[in-house]
Structure formats: C-alpha cells, structure tokens
Amino acid sequence: APPAPPPPEPARAPSPQPEPPKKTGRAAFFASLHAAESEKAPVGTFHATGKFKEELEAENDRSGDWACTKCHYTNFKECLTCARCRSLRRFEGRNQASGYCQ
C-alpha cells in the first residue's frame, strides 16, 4: 500500500497587509494636502536668502534715495553725483553726504 499523504497544514490567519493607496484625482489629492497643512501651526515666511520677510523688507528700504534736479534720475542715497548726468547732489541740510559713489 502506498504511504499516506501528509496531513494538510493548519490554515494561518492572513497577516494584516497595509491597504494600498487609493487612486484619486489631482483635485482630491490637493484638497487632502490642504486639509493636512491647515492643521499645522503657522511658521512664517522664510525665503531662499535665509531671512524672514520682515528682514528683507527692512533691507530693501530705499528711503533716502534722491532724484537728480537736472535729469530726474533716481540715485542711491550714498552718491554725491548723478549716475546718469554726473551733476552734483543738492543738499538741504548739513552732514548728509557720505560719498561712496563718484
């Protein structure tokens, strides 16, 4: 007589598999991303320069620049002469010139 076949192995419970991500459209993806990001605390605006928006605005303050009385070109506040026509800057008060530009 032929040998008896081995008994079948007991059925194992399937291991829990993570559910595959559902395929959604672009609109649904960005809506879920927006919802997830809105739950986070605000951190402020940080620019590629490594400075916050307020610091950049303070550096870009152009107060003190002057318009040439002859050609109306806008010059940097440090310049004593106009970059376009080379006329001298007119000062209203004393000790305003620094003389970096020529």
Side-chain angles (χ1 to χ4, degrees):
E9 291 189 25
R12 288 189 237 165
S15 61
Q17 296 283 331
E19 199 171 304
K22 296 178 183 176
K23 292 192 176 192
T24 58
R26 292 171 48 98
F29 168 76
F30 285 108
S32 66
L33 181 64
H34 178 70
E37 290 295 317
S38 65
E39 293 174 3
K40 296 180 181 178
V43 293
T45 305
F46 198 74
H47 295 273
T49 59
K51 297 180 180 180
F52 284 96
K53 184 178 179 181
E54 294 79 21
E55 294 175 37
L56 290 173
E57 289 174 352
E59 284 183 3
N60 293 334
D61 180 21
R62 303 301 316 174
S63 62
D65 287 358
W66 57 280
C68 177
T69 54
K70 186 175 178 182
C71 69
H72 306 289
Y73 181 77
T74 303
N75 294 282
F76 293 116
K77 61 184 171 185
E78 298 88 9
C79 298
L80 296 174
T81 59
C82 176
R84 182 185 286 165
C85 70
R86 300 289 181 220
S87 66
L88 291 173
R89 178 179 180 184
R90 304 238 171 120
F91 293 103
E92 290 82 31
R94 296 174 41 192
N95 300 325
Q96 291 184 3
S98 57
Y100 290 116
C101 300
Q102 296 300 325

